[in-house]
Amino acid sequence: MTHMEMKNPEQKHVIISTRTPLQNSMIQQTSADIMPSNEERLENAKLSSGRRKGRRRGKGAKVEQLQEPKLDSSMGSHDSSKGLVFHRRPGYGQLGRKCMVKANHFLAQVPDTDLSQYSVTITPEVASRKINKSIMAQLVKLHRDTDLGMRLPVYDGKKVLYTAGLLPFVFKEFTLRLAEEDEGTGVAKEREFKVTIKFVGITSMVQLREFLAGKQVDTPHEIIRIFDIVLNQLAAQRYVSVGRYLYSPDIKNPQQLGGGLQSWQGFYKSIRPTQMGLSLNIDMSSTAFIDPLPVIDFVAQLLGKDVYSRPLSDADRVKQVKKALRGVKVEVTHRGDVRRKYRISGLTSQPTRELMSDMFFPVDEQMNMKSVVEYFQEMYGFTIQYSHLPCLQVGNQRKVNYLPMEACKIIEGQRYTKGLTDKQITSLLKVTCQRPRDRETNILQTINQNGYEIDPYAKEFGITVDEKLATVEARVLPAPWLKYHDTGKEKEYLPQVGQWNMTNKKVINGSTVNHWACINFSRSVQESTVSGFCHQLVQMCKISGMEFNPEPVIPIHSARPDQVKKALKHVYSAAANKLGGKELELLIAILPDNNGSLYGDLKRICDTDLGLISQCCLTKNVYKISNQYLANVSLKINVKMGGRNTVLLDALSSGIPLVSDIPTIIFGADVTHPETGDDSCPSIAAVVASQDWPEVTKYAGLVCAQAHRQELIQDLYKTWKDPQGGTVTGGMIRELLLSFKAATGKKPLRIIFYRDGVSEGQFYQVLLYELDAIRKACASLEPSYQPPVTFVIVQKRHHTRLFASNHNDRSSIDKSGNILPGTVVDSKICHPSEFDFYLCSHAGIQGTSRPAHYHVLWDENNFTADEIQSLTNNLCYTYARCTRSVSLGNASESSLNLLQFPPAYYAHLAAYRARFYMEPDKPENAIPNCMRTSNELCVRPLPALNEKVKNVMFYC
């Protein structure tokens, strides 16, 4: 279909635009235009503000123009001066009941005096920041009172040094000696270093002052970074530093997580530019550290078995131990007061008792061979008791040493960077979960313990930090009325405090299930129990408003978990035979509570091969049936089968600003990346889009694999050559626009794009690349088709928390002690000039609610603050999987919180589902249609979604 076949003669709303795709309709810029003049910046600002004057409904605005970028996955930070200016705040919201809240932001005041910057060169070069900082600390200790002119500098651990005034020299070399321990031999050696300090220039504070005053200048990243370094200088000496996080076992007693791990409490710390000035954002955190145990005890806890008397015979267990211990630092315990330190590089393949000293240890002058056991006994008087265990390999490849496990102890303070088990995650979440009042108290204790008023580095640079939480004006937006089916007792409902239930209500559009089947993969559940569960589930679906055949097509089929493919094929074909040409519509699967790869295998086969909607239920829920569980499952089944649970009442009366007036499509997009430590698996991108207008409740989803940790969504728009040499256009945006037209009979005349998972340093490139892809996708359907776009970043991984001004005021908090759902903040702690806001649209469950942070980067629809905030809040009440308002941010930091802003979270669910579509046991070079990225990396494409599931909410 070349021109989208959208020419509906009855369609009244038409946007005529001469705009071409973004790369052609943006001001052309050469690669030399890196830093425009001040005059050019002012002109850009005038153009940007000028286009937003006047009132607007649905009219597209001119686009600041820029050449199509050549981007890679490095995703460096870009400034607005490069041609694309982020949307400025159009004003402040007024809708809702005003109230005061507290935020974990502390006003940081800095002087107006300029700062001095120096380059640092250390010879011989050292890769470790920790060693570099030790060298600089030694230099400052020796020379501060003399050569440094009493200055107390701060150092970034690499190449840059900052001072609050000029040093008494422009260039100077220092020579000093530092004791450094070799991780291969464990021997401390004194090394000589030459440190060269050279004046680079003055860092002016003018840009920071203008930026904080709301003037449209580039974000002064360098100045903000300097103040971050200053406030981190002393803290990094007291705590274990992990990026912007600082941890210590002294903040709170470590809690055991199992498997040889413990949780340490710490805090996040960052300087942020806000409307009230620079703000120090502090939030509590916990993470997993390796328990400082004897290595043999750690291995016993890791495996959860007796290793003291039994060998590690299982190859999988040996692999597990190797993975957990690789890179861990240990100290020896068999030499009395000599506690040499080493880093583990691996395990020996043989047990200790089979190792001979000529293999790894020096022999005597007569060249006698001795076992490792004999060597340790004779050399150190140390008797190896657990000789059935392998030895640790320590040091580097040039010189490998071998140490018995029982002679080594893990050094304290090492963060565990591998993946956690489900049980460990649950334990960590329990530790992390804090009620709002407790979290606020801990944050205040942290700011006091850090003692910035006596911090010598803060005093040197003239920084003062307020010790009180920022008090911020907020508003509580009203909840929207929801519409249910007219046959229910309650046809319309106004949710209270962000939650409600399905009592006396029926879904507004109930789906029909005529042909269904059930497979029981759980050996512990009898067929009669499964039958009773299915009967109750069917009844709940019918009570909710669905039409549901009470009997399955074939009797309940029992199968082993390792026979999932065979079982699915059998049930599918048996049902098809009985139905005589009709197809199975729904599969209910009973899974063991711990089911390994079963869930993923089942979803992959159903979604991509069979085109069969599936609903999985765990054994524990089959045994312990609750009406709430059955009601939630029935809601999921309804939307998976094409129904709708509820819609906004305003949507039916054309009452949603900038949505109801003309056909509007709402996108949600997300990219999920492999877990930490995985350096090869592809990232998964997912895009969902509303398929019903004006209700905007049903979302179709598409997924694709792309290069490892690539954040830009590569398949939004793409072209390729067909066998005849012609150019074919496609991509996720184009396909979803077409499906919207097929579902509604109208083409979208407005696009609202919610993008999840983007950090602030990636804003510019993501907007530039993905907005361009949206433009190209639209133009590929009709050359003049360029509907106005609003592009909103949605962030949940931020550290702003909002607390009630008075924790004892029951009218200002929910049952969990959190701020009320619908609380929005767009002043004081928000960006000085850009269009952002915090919205906590959900009721808390447990722990402290995390508001979602929305940043409107681009807005050709010219939303007012009230309009975009109200729309976003109202959409949170249309979440299909439960009867709660939801948010992008976790409602609380616990395993109960899977609550998100619907379009963005649907994209997240789709991306999470798609990871199961990959078959990891197939090598990349065995895949004939492996896609090559610009960096010549091979990315195996995901199997295509079956057409029968593509346009329904299969991911719910």
Side-chain angles (χ1 to χ4, degrees), residues 23-253:
Q23 79 280 11
N24 294 326
S25 67
M26 292 178 133
I27 296 172
Q28 295 299 308
Q29 172 189 343
T30 66
S31 59
D33 295 333
I34 302 300
M35 294 296 290
S37 66
N38 289 331
E39 290 80 5
E40 288 172 322
R41 292 181 188 174
L42 287 171
E43 186 61 30
N44 282 339
K46 289 176 183 177
L47 285 171
S48 175
S49 60
R51 75 176 180 83
R52 296 182 177 96
K53 292 178 181 177
R55 199 56 181 153
R56 354 148 279 270
R57 297 284 177 186
K59 289 189 178 180
K62 289 185 179 179
V63 184
E64 284 88 2
Q65 301 173 341
L66 194 69
Q67 203 170 37
E68 182 181 1
K70 293 181 180 179
L71 301 174
D72 58 26
S73 59
S74 61
M75 298 299 296
S77 176
H78 287 252
D79 287 321
S80 59
S81 64
K82 293 188 178 179
L84 198 63
V85 180
F86 293 160
H87 189 53
R88 290 179 68 83
R89 189 181 304 280
Y92 295 93
Q94 303 297 322
L95 183 65
R97 177 174 60 83
K98 291 185 178 180
C99 63
M100 301 303 293
V101 297
K102 291 177 287 187
N104 58 337
H105 286 246
F106 300 86
L107 181 63
Q109 294 181 316
V110 298
D112 289 339
T113 53
D114 296 336
L115 305 177
S116 304
Q117 179 179 337
Y118 295 82
S119 66
V120 175
T121 305
I122 297 176
T123 310
E125 189 173 349
V126 178
S128 167
R129 272 194 178 192
K130 185 176 180 181
I131 296 175
N132 280 341
K133 287 183 176 181
S134 298
I135 294 169
M136 185 57 67
Q138 181 78 348
L139 187 153
V140 172
K141 181 180 178 181
L142 295 173
H143 299 283
R144 182 187 179 189
D145 294 346
T146 54
D147 297 287
L148 298 182
M150 298 301 294
R151 292 290 179 196
L152 183 60
V154 295
Y155 175 49
D156 71 350
K158 289 184 176 179
K159 299 287 186 181
V160 186
L161 187 83
Y162 299 100
T163 60
L166 289 170
L167 294 174
F169 57 82
V170 174
F171 175 91
K172 196 170 186 67
E173 286 187 353
F174 299 87
T175 301
L176 52 95
R177 302 183 71 83
L178 189 74
E180 188 183 4
E181 197 165 69
D182 188 291
E183 292 179 351
T185 63
V187 178
K189 295 180 181 178
E190 196 173 66
R191 295 178 65 190
E192 183 175 283
F193 295 95
K194 183 183 290 184
V195 182
T196 303
I197 299 177
K198 181 181 178 181
F199 177 72
V200 173
I202 298 295
T203 302
S204 172
M205 302 293 286
V206 173
Q207 187 184 6
L208 176 64
R209 288 198 299 270
E210 291 184 349
F211 180 76
L212 292 177
K215 297 181 180 178
Q216 191 154 358
V217 296
D218 293 341
T219 305
H221 295 297
E222 181 64 19
I223 302 172
I224 294 169
R225 178 173 171 268
I226 294 171
F227 291 129
D228 254 330
I229 293 170
V230 172
L231 294 183
N232 198 57
Q233 205 78 13
L234 186 62
Q237 299 169 24
R238 296 176 177 173
Y239 305 100
V240 175
S241 181
V242 182
R244 293 183 183 272
Y245 296 85
L246 297 148
Y247 297 97
S248 170
D250 300 327
I251 296 177
K252 184 180 179 181
N253 288 333

Side-chain angles (χ1 to χ4, degrees), residues 930-946:
C930 177
M931 300 182 297
R932 297 282 172 182
T933 68
S934 58
N935 296 328
E936 288 301 311
L937 298 174
C938 184
V939 178
R940 186 191 314 154
L942 297 174
L945 285 170
N946 192 289

Side-chain angles (χ1 to χ4, degrees), residues 706-918:
Q706 55 189 44
H708 178 75
R709 300 211 167 273
Q710 167 65 267
E711 185 59 48
L712 305 177
I713 301 178
Q714 301 298 294
D715 277 9
L716 288 181
Y717 174 78
K718 59 183 180 181
T719 60
W720 64 94
K721 297 291 184 181
D722 62 21
Q724 286 71 42
T727 300
V728 182
T729 58
M732 294 191 282
I733 295 292
R734 190 179 194 276
E735 189 168 342
L736 289 168
L737 289 171
L738 288 168
S739 63
F740 180 96
K741 171 62 168 63
T744 65
K746 304 176 185 296
K747 65 178 177 182
L749 299 179
R750 180 186 292 118
I751 293 174
I752 304 173
F753 195 91
Y754 285 96
R755 177 65 156 88
D756 186 14
V758 181
S759 65
E760 290 174 356
Q762 300 169 319
F763 279 7
Y764 184 87
Q765 283 193 323
V766 167
L767 174 64
L768 190 64
Y769 185 91
E770 297 183 5
L771 182 60
D772 183 50
I774 294 169
R775 289 270 177 256
K776 288 176 178 176
C778 292
S780 74
L781 296 165
E782 292 178 9
S784 62
Y785 177 55
Q786 288 295 307
V789 177
T790 297
F791 196 103
V792 186
I793 299 291
V794 199
Q795 293 177 303
K796 59 180 178 292
R797 289 188 174 91
H798 62 84
H799 294 274
T800 292
R801 298 291 185 274
L802 302 176
F803 304 98
S805 182
N806 180 0
H807 291 286
N808 296 318
D809 181 5
R810 293 293 173 186
S811 66
S812 65
I813 58 174
D814 61 20
K815 291 180 181 179
S816 68
N818 280 288
I819 56 174
L820 294 172
T823 300
V824 63
V825 169
D826 61 3
S827 64
K828 201 166 183 177
I829 60 170
C830 292
H831 194 279
S833 60
E834 292 170 9
F835 191 7
D836 71 325
F837 58 92
Y838 293 94
L839 173 62
C840 184
S841 51
H842 58 274
I845 302 176
Q846 62 184 21
T848 303
S849 294
R850 187 201 309 249
H853 187 203
Y854 298 87
H855 208 119
V856 184
L857 296 186
W858 192 262
D859 184 24
E860 295 170 332
N861 293 296
N862 293 315
F863 278 92
T864 65
D866 279 332
E867 286 168 344
I868 193 68
Q869 291 166 10
S870 182
L871 171 64
T872 303
N873 184 57
N874 290 350
L875 287 175
C876 292
Y877 285 79
T878 64
Y879 185 55
R881 300 195 343 157
C882 63
T883 50
R884 295 178 67 92
S885 63
V886 295
S887 169
L888 186 75
N890 289 343
S892 62
E893 291 165 290
S894 78
S895 56
L896 296 175
N897 298 308
L898 299 174
L899 307 182
Q900 309 271 349
F901 171 69
Y905 190 43
Y906 292 153
H908 175 80
L909 289 174
Y912 179 79
R913 171 70 65 84
R915 200 159 285 284
F916 294 124
Y917 300 163
M918 296 187 297

